[in-house]
Amino acid sequence: MNIVEEIIKLKKENNAVILVHNYQRPEIQNIADFLGDSLGLSREAAKTDAKIIVFCGVRFMAETAKILSPEKVVLLPRKEAGCPMADMVSTEDLRILKERHPDAKVVSYVNTYADVKAESDICCTSANAVEVIKKVKANKIIFTPDKNLAAYCQSFTHKEIIPWNGYCYVHEKISEKEVRLAKKKFPDALLLVHPECNPSVIDLADEVLSTSGMINFAKKSDKKRFLIGTEEGLIYRLKKENPGKEFYAAGTVKTCQNMKLTALKDVYFAIKEERYQVELPEEIIKRAGKALKAMLTYTH
Ligand code: 13P
Ligand code: SF4
Protein backbone atom coordinates (compact mmCIF):
# COMPACT_ATOMS: atom_id res chain seq x y z
CA MET A 1 0.00 0.00 0.00
CA ASN A 2 1.28 3.50 -0.75
CA ILE A 3 0.99 6.32 1.77
CA VAL A 4 -2.20 7.74 0.24
CA GLU A 5 -3.89 4.32 0.50
CA GLU A 6 -2.64 4.00 4.09
CA ILE A 7 -4.13 7.40 4.95
CA ILE A 8 -7.48 6.51 3.41
CA LYS A 9 -7.55 3.20 5.30
CA LEU A 10 -6.63 4.83 8.63
CA LYS A 11 -9.14 7.61 8.07
CA LYS A 12 -11.98 5.11 7.63
CA GLU A 13 -10.94 2.96 10.61
CA ASN A 14 -10.77 6.01 12.89
CA ASN A 15 -13.81 7.90 11.60
CA ALA A 16 -11.73 10.91 10.62
CA VAL A 17 -12.43 13.63 8.08
CA ILE A 18 -9.65 15.54 6.28
CA LEU A 19 -10.29 19.26 5.87
CA VAL A 20 -7.82 21.07 3.61
CA HIS A 21 -7.24 24.75 2.86
CA ASN A 22 -6.86 25.90 -0.76
CA TYR A 23 -3.18 26.89 -0.21
CA GLN A 24 -1.98 23.42 0.81
CA ARG A 25 0.46 21.39 -1.28
CA PRO A 26 -1.08 19.58 -4.31
CA GLU A 27 -0.69 16.10 -2.77
CA ILE A 28 -2.56 17.27 0.35
CA GLN A 29 -5.32 18.92 -1.70
CA ASN A 30 -5.72 15.60 -3.50
CA ILE A 31 -6.58 13.67 -0.30
CA ALA A 32 -9.13 16.23 0.97
CA ASP A 33 -12.64 15.23 1.98
CA PHE A 34 -13.36 18.94 1.84
CA LEU A 35 -11.16 21.56 0.21
CA GLY A 36 -12.00 25.21 0.73
CA ASP A 37 -11.52 28.70 2.12
CA SER A 38 -11.73 29.67 5.79
CA LEU A 39 -15.49 30.16 5.66
CA GLY A 40 -16.25 26.88 3.88
CA LEU A 41 -13.92 24.99 6.21
CA SER A 42 -15.55 26.55 9.30
CA ARG A 43 -19.02 25.55 8.10
CA GLU A 44 -17.78 22.04 7.33
CA ALA A 45 -16.11 21.71 10.77
CA ALA A 46 -19.33 22.82 12.45
CA LYS A 47 -21.47 20.20 10.72
CA THR A 48 -19.29 17.11 10.29
CA ASP A 49 -20.35 13.80 11.95
CA ALA A 50 -16.79 12.46 11.99
CA LYS A 51 -15.16 11.81 15.36
CA ILE A 52 -11.80 13.28 14.33
CA ILE A 53 -11.12 16.37 12.22
CA VAL A 54 -7.66 16.39 10.61
CA PHE A 55 -7.03 20.02 9.71
CA CYS A 56 -4.50 20.60 6.95
CA GLY A 57 -3.97 24.33 7.17
CA VAL A 58 -2.65 26.63 9.88
CA ARG A 59 -3.33 26.82 13.63
CA PHE A 60 -6.01 29.52 13.66
CA MET A 61 -8.07 27.38 11.25
CA ALA A 62 -7.72 24.25 13.39
CA GLU A 63 -8.62 26.29 16.48
CA THR A 64 -11.72 27.56 14.69
CA ALA A 65 -12.73 23.95 13.99
CA LYS A 66 -12.23 23.07 17.67
CA ILE A 67 -14.27 26.07 18.84
CA LEU A 68 -17.14 25.13 16.50
CA SER A 69 -16.97 21.41 17.30
CA PRO A 70 -15.53 21.24 20.85
CA GLU A 71 -16.63 17.63 21.38
CA LYS A 72 -14.50 16.46 18.42
CA VAL A 73 -10.83 15.59 18.39
CA VAL A 74 -9.19 18.23 16.15
CA LEU A 75 -5.70 17.47 14.85
CA LEU A 76 -3.17 19.86 13.34
CA PRO A 77 -0.59 17.57 11.66
CA ARG A 78 2.23 20.16 12.00
CA LYS A 79 1.93 21.89 15.35
CA GLU A 80 4.18 24.78 14.33
CA ALA A 81 1.99 25.80 11.35
CA GLY A 82 1.06 29.32 12.39
CA CYS A 83 0.08 32.57 10.69
CA PRO A 84 2.32 35.64 11.15
CA MET A 85 -0.69 37.92 10.68
CA ALA A 86 -2.56 36.22 13.56
CA ASP A 87 0.55 36.81 15.72
CA MET A 88 0.25 40.56 15.18
CA VAL A 89 -2.61 41.04 17.66
CA SER A 90 -2.59 40.34 21.38
CA THR A 91 -5.52 40.38 23.80
CA GLU A 92 -3.68 42.89 26.04
CA ASP A 93 -3.36 45.45 23.25
CA LEU A 94 -6.88 44.78 22.02
CA ARG A 95 -8.30 45.40 25.52
CA ILE A 96 -6.50 48.77 25.63
CA LEU A 97 -8.04 49.78 22.29
CA LYS A 98 -11.49 48.62 23.46
CA GLU A 99 -11.17 50.81 26.54
CA ARG A 100 -10.32 53.79 24.35
CA HIS A 101 -13.39 53.16 22.18
CA PRO A 102 -16.12 51.80 24.50
CA ASP A 103 -18.83 52.48 21.89
CA ALA A 104 -17.13 50.34 19.21
CA LYS A 105 -17.86 46.71 18.35
CA VAL A 106 -14.92 44.42 17.64
CA VAL A 107 -14.89 42.52 14.34
CA SER A 108 -12.04 40.03 14.13
CA TYR A 109 -10.87 38.38 10.97
CA VAL A 110 -10.86 34.61 11.39
CA ASN A 111 -7.05 34.84 11.00
CA THR A 112 -6.70 35.41 14.77
CA TYR A 113 -6.07 33.04 17.67
CA ALA A 114 -8.86 31.87 19.96
CA ASP A 115 -8.10 34.33 22.79
CA VAL A 116 -8.50 37.30 20.42
CA LYS A 117 -11.74 35.87 19.04
CA ALA A 118 -12.93 35.60 22.65
CA GLU A 119 -12.42 39.39 23.01
CA SER A 120 -14.44 40.06 19.84
CA ASP A 121 -18.13 40.61 19.15
CA ILE A 122 -18.16 38.85 15.80
CA CYS A 123 -15.72 37.21 13.38
CA CYS A 124 -15.50 37.47 9.62
CA THR A 125 -13.59 35.83 6.80
CA SER A 126 -12.42 37.21 3.48
CA ALA A 127 -15.67 35.85 1.97
CA ASN A 128 -18.08 37.75 4.22
CA ALA A 129 -16.16 40.69 5.78
CA VAL A 130 -18.14 43.38 3.93
CA GLU A 131 -21.45 41.69 4.81
CA VAL A 132 -20.44 41.42 8.49
CA ILE A 133 -19.37 45.09 8.66
CA LYS A 134 -22.69 46.18 7.15
CA LYS A 135 -24.74 44.01 9.52
CA VAL A 136 -22.95 44.81 12.78
CA LYS A 137 -25.13 47.04 14.93
CA ALA A 138 -22.59 49.80 15.59
CA ASN A 139 -21.32 52.87 13.77
CA LYS A 140 -17.80 52.38 15.09
CA ILE A 141 -15.88 49.15 14.48
CA ILE A 142 -12.48 48.00 15.70
CA PHE A 143 -11.22 45.65 12.99
CA THR A 144 -8.39 43.18 13.73
CA PRO A 145 -5.81 42.30 12.52
CA ASP A 146 -5.65 42.99 8.75
CA LYS A 147 -5.35 46.66 7.79
CA ASN A 148 -5.82 45.84 4.09
CA LEU A 149 -9.06 43.95 4.61
CA ALA A 150 -10.18 46.78 6.92
CA ALA A 151 -9.47 49.35 4.17
CA TYR A 152 -11.32 47.23 1.64
CA CYS A 153 -14.37 47.04 3.95
CA GLN A 154 -14.16 50.80 4.60
CA SER A 155 -14.77 51.43 0.90
CA PHE A 156 -18.26 49.87 1.28
CA THR A 157 -19.48 51.68 4.40
CA HIS A 158 -19.80 55.09 6.07
CA LYS A 159 -19.28 53.45 9.47
CA GLU A 160 -16.00 54.34 11.15
CA ILE A 161 -13.55 51.43 10.96
CA ILE A 162 -10.57 51.56 13.33
CA PRO A 163 -8.05 49.20 11.72
CA TRP A 164 -5.45 47.13 13.52
CA ASN A 165 -2.01 47.51 11.95
CA GLY A 166 -1.58 43.88 10.84
CA TYR A 167 -1.03 42.42 7.39
CA CYS A 168 -0.20 39.19 5.59
CA TYR A 169 3.44 39.10 4.50
CA VAL A 170 2.55 36.91 1.50
CA HIS A 171 -0.07 39.25 0.03
CA GLU A 172 1.97 42.31 1.02
CA LYS A 173 4.65 41.11 -1.41
CA ILE A 174 2.27 41.40 -4.38
CA SER A 175 3.29 44.82 -5.70
CA GLU A 176 1.36 47.27 -7.82
CA LYS A 177 4.33 47.44 -10.21
CA GLU A 178 4.46 43.70 -10.93
CA VAL A 179 0.68 43.48 -11.27
CA ARG A 180 0.70 46.31 -13.83
CA LEU A 181 3.42 44.45 -15.77
CA ALA A 182 1.43 41.20 -15.65
CA LYS A 183 -1.64 43.02 -16.97
CA LYS A 184 0.44 44.43 -19.83
CA LYS A 185 1.69 40.95 -20.69
CA PHE A 186 -1.83 39.45 -20.63
CA PRO A 187 -4.15 42.33 -21.55
CA ASP A 188 -7.12 39.99 -22.13
CA ALA A 189 -6.83 38.32 -18.69
CA LEU A 190 -9.16 39.06 -15.77
CA LEU A 191 -7.36 40.03 -12.56
CA LEU A 192 -8.70 38.28 -9.44
CA VAL A 193 -7.15 39.37 -6.14
CA HIS A 194 -7.53 38.50 -2.47
CA PRO A 195 -8.69 41.32 -0.14
CA GLU A 196 -5.50 40.87 1.95
CA CYS A 197 -3.65 42.64 -0.91
CA ASN A 198 -2.58 46.28 -0.70
CA PRO A 199 -5.22 48.88 -1.68
CA SER A 200 -3.06 49.86 -4.70
CA VAL A 201 -3.33 46.27 -5.99
CA ILE A 202 -7.03 46.00 -5.13
CA ASP A 203 -7.67 49.15 -7.20
CA LEU A 204 -6.38 47.33 -10.31
CA ALA A 205 -8.53 44.21 -9.81
CA ASP A 206 -11.53 43.06 -11.82
CA GLU A 207 -12.76 41.02 -8.84
CA VAL A 208 -11.79 40.93 -5.15
CA LEU A 209 -12.57 37.49 -3.76
CA SER A 210 -11.80 34.89 -1.10
CA THR A 211 -9.86 31.86 -2.31
CA SER A 212 -13.01 29.78 -2.88
CA GLY A 213 -14.67 32.87 -4.31
CA MET A 214 -11.96 32.83 -7.02
CA ILE A 215 -12.57 29.11 -7.66
CA ASN A 216 -16.31 29.67 -8.13
CA PHE A 217 -15.84 32.79 -10.23
CA ALA A 218 -13.31 31.19 -12.62
CA LYS A 219 -15.54 28.14 -13.06
CA LYS A 220 -18.58 30.20 -14.07
CA SER A 221 -16.76 32.84 -16.13
CA ASP A 222 -16.69 32.52 -19.92
CA LYS A 223 -13.25 34.21 -19.95
CA LYS A 224 -10.28 31.98 -20.72
CA ARG A 225 -7.37 33.72 -18.98
CA PHE A 226 -6.90 34.87 -15.40
CA LEU A 227 -4.23 36.61 -13.36
CA ILE A 228 -4.32 35.48 -9.75
CA GLY A 229 -3.33 37.76 -6.89
CA THR A 230 -2.97 35.33 -4.01
CA GLU A 231 -0.87 32.44 -2.70
CA GLU A 232 0.29 29.93 -5.34
CA GLY A 233 -1.55 26.89 -3.89
CA LEU A 234 -4.79 28.20 -5.31
CA ILE A 235 -3.38 28.21 -8.84
CA TYR A 236 -2.88 24.43 -8.66
CA ARG A 237 -6.58 23.96 -7.82
CA LEU A 238 -7.74 26.48 -10.45
CA LYS A 239 -5.79 24.68 -13.19
CA LYS A 240 -6.92 21.23 -12.07
CA GLU A 241 -10.61 22.16 -12.02
CA ASN A 242 -10.57 24.25 -15.22
CA PRO A 243 -8.46 22.36 -17.77
CA GLY A 244 -9.51 24.57 -20.69
CA LYS A 245 -8.53 27.83 -18.97
CA GLU A 246 -5.23 29.56 -18.20
CA PHE A 247 -4.11 30.87 -14.81
CA TYR A 248 -1.02 32.92 -14.07
CA ALA A 249 0.35 34.46 -10.89
CA ALA A 250 -0.12 38.25 -10.97
CA GLY A 251 3.64 38.84 -10.70
CA THR A 252 6.17 36.43 -9.21
CA VAL A 253 4.83 33.33 -7.44
CA LYS A 254 4.09 33.99 -3.73
CA THR A 255 4.29 31.20 -1.15
CA CYS A 256 3.04 30.98 2.44
CA GLN A 257 5.69 28.88 4.20
CA ASN A 258 3.34 27.81 6.98
CA MET A 259 0.75 26.52 4.55
CA LYS A 260 3.37 24.34 2.88
CA LEU A 261 4.61 22.60 6.05
CA THR A 262 2.13 19.72 6.00
CA ALA A 263 3.30 16.66 4.07
CA LEU A 264 1.55 13.31 3.51
CA LYS A 265 3.62 11.63 6.24
CA ASP A 266 2.43 14.27 8.73
CA VAL A 267 -1.20 13.48 7.91
CA TYR A 268 -0.50 9.76 8.25
CA PHE A 269 1.09 10.14 11.70
CA ALA A 270 -1.57 12.65 12.75
CA ILE A 271 -4.31 10.04 12.33
CA LYS A 272 -2.24 7.07 13.50
CA GLU A 273 -1.07 8.75 16.73
CA GLU A 274 -3.89 11.29 17.17
CA ARG A 275 -1.43 14.15 17.06
CA TYR A 276 -1.31 17.14 17.50
CA GLN A 277 -4.55 17.72 19.33
CA VAL A 278 -5.86 21.27 19.51
CA GLU A 279 -6.78 22.04 23.12
CA LEU A 280 -8.33 25.26 24.33
CA PRO A 281 -9.69 26.40 27.72
CA GLU A 282 -13.45 25.89 28.02
CA GLU A 283 -14.08 29.54 28.82
CA ILE A 284 -12.21 30.65 25.64
CA ILE A 285 -14.16 28.14 23.54
CA LYS A 286 -17.40 29.57 24.93
CA ARG A 287 -16.60 33.24 24.27
CA ALA A 288 -14.83 32.71 20.94
CA GLY A 289 -17.68 30.39 19.90
CA LYS A 290 -20.14 33.24 20.37
CA ALA A 291 -18.21 35.47 17.94
CA LEU A 292 -17.84 32.67 15.38
CA LYS A 293 -21.46 31.54 15.62
CA ALA A 294 -22.60 35.17 15.25
CA MET A 295 -20.73 35.23 11.92
CA LEU A 296 -22.18 31.90 10.75
CA THR A 297 -25.73 32.92 11.70
CA TYR A 298 -25.70 36.45 10.28
CA THR A 299 -24.06 35.71 6.92
CA HIS A 300 -24.71 33.47 3.93
P1 13P B 1 -9.42 32.48 2.52
O1 13P B 1 -10.40 32.40 3.64
O2 13P B 1 -9.87 33.43 1.43
O3 13P B 1 -9.12 31.13 1.96
O4 13P B 1 -8.07 33.11 3.05
C1 13P B 1 -7.33 32.53 4.08
C2 13P B 1 -5.99 33.10 4.19
O5 13P B 1 -5.23 32.79 5.07
C3 13P B 1 -5.59 34.07 3.18
O6 13P B 1 -4.27 34.41 3.37
FE1 SF4 C 1 -1.44 33.86 7.26
FE2 SF4 C 1 -0.91 35.07 4.97
FE3 SF4 C 1 -0.28 32.51 5.26
FE4 SF4 C 1 -2.85 33.28 5.06
S1 SF4 C 1 -1.26 33.42 3.50
S2 SF4 C 1 -2.01 31.82 6.52
S3 SF4 C 1 -2.79 35.24 6.16
S4 SF4 C 1 0.58 34.25 6.42
Side-chain angles (χ1 to χ4, degrees):
M1 251 197 285
N2 66 31
I3 188 156
V4 171
E5 290 164 343
E6 296 268 14
I7 290 171
I8 293 168
K9 182 170 169 270
L10 266 179
K11 187 183 80 174
K12 282 188 189 140
E13 285 168 4
N14 292 280
N15 189 12
V17 67
I18 302 179
L19 305 188
V20 177
H21 185 263
N22 287 324
Y23 293 160
Q24 291 282 293
R25 298 183 195 193
E27 63 272 26
I28 303 294
Q29 294 195 22
N30 292 341
I31 57 161
D33 291 305
F34 182 87
L35 177 61
D37 64 2
S38 308
L39 183 62
L41 291 164
S42 303
R43 291 200 189 281
E44 208 54 36
K47 72 173 191 214
T48 182
D49 308 319
K51 190 177 133 258
I52 298 172
I53 297 172
V54 185
F55 211 111
C56 301
V58 292
R59 179 163 295 275
F60 76 78
M61 295 178 173
E63 281 191 359
T64 300
K66 182 70 185 175
I67 296 163
L68 290 169
S69 274
E71 72 293 352
K72 306 255 148 85
V73 173
V74 178
L75 306 173
L76 182 64
R78 288 293 292 262
K79 61 176 183 305
E80 71 276 39
C83 167
M85 169 150 66
D87 291 331
M88 290 176 185
V89 50
S90 70
T91 49
E92 292 76 18
D93 291 343
L94 179 54
R95 280 192 204 122
I96 293 170
L97 195 62
K98 280 168 73 169
E99 271 167 31
R100 251 189 252 154
H101 301 282
D103 51 338
K105 293 252 189 245
V106 179
V107 177
S108 281
Y109 192 23
V110 75
N111 299 36
T112 44
Y113 291 111
D115 55 348
V116 170
K117 288 187 175 77
E119 286 291 326
S120 309
D121 294 290
I122 185 165
C123 292
C124 72
T125 75
S126 59
N128 61 20
V130 173
E131 194 183 352
V132 167
I133 293 291
K134 285 186 179 166
K135 285 191 178 160
V136 155
K137 290 190 180 72
N139 286 321
K140 210 180 200 190
I141 293 160
I142 294 172
F143 191 98
T144 80
D146 187 5
K147 63 176 180 186
N148 291 333
L149 184 58
Y152 178 65
C153 289
Q154 186 66 82
S155 65
F156 290 90
T157 181
H158 292 300
K159 293 178 181 180
E160 183 190 355
I161 299 180
I162 303 160
W164 202 262
N165 197 22
Y167 62 90
C168 162
Y169 79 97
V170 181
H171 289 85
E172 193 74 9
K173 282 190 205 153
I174 303 175
S175 73
E176 180 190 343
K177 192 174 163 205
E178 66 177 340
V179 174
R180 282 193 189 278
L181 280 174
K183 274 171 78 91
K184 233 185 208 164
K185 195 169 167 198
F186 299 105
D188 59 333
L190 277 187
L191 173 65
L192 314 185
V193 311
H194 197 275
E196 287 175 19
C197 288
N198 268 308
S200 61
V201 168
I202 288 185
D203 284 347
L204 300 174
D206 294 297
E207 299 290 334
V208 181
L209 297 161
S210 77
T211 57
S212 287
M214 291 188 206
I215 297 285
N216 298 334
F217 183 89
K219 230 174 247 176
K220 283 191 202 141
S221 172
D222 47 20
K223 289 271 181 182
K224 217 174 152 280
R225 243 180 213 167
F226 301 86
L227 288 168
I228 303 300
T230 195
E231 208 269 353
E232 50 138 354
L234 191 76
I235 297 179
Y236 168 75
R237 182 171 172 197
L238 282 163
K239 284 183 177 167
K240 185 179 166 189
E241 295 183 8
N242 300 278
K245 297 182 180 176
E246 293 169 34
F247 301 92
Y248 303 97
T252 57
V253 165
K254 306 295 188 295
T255 306
C256 173
Q257 299 303 334
N258 286 283
M259 280 286 184
K260 298 297 188 265
L261 285 174
T262 310
L264 286 172
K265 68 170 178 9
D266 301 311
V267 180
Y268 173 80
F269 284 114
I271 311 177
K272 193 170 161 54
E273 296 175 7
E274 287 206 1
R275 76 183 197 192
Y276 296 94
Q277 286 203 36
V278 175
E279 294 188 73
L280 294 166
E282 225 172 89
E283 166 263 341
I284 293 281
I285 289 187
K286 214 168 143 197
R287 288 164 53 219
K290 254 184 162 175
L292 277 168
K293 281 175 203 149
M295 167 185 86
L296 295 179
T297 324
Y298 294 153
T299 60
H300 295 105

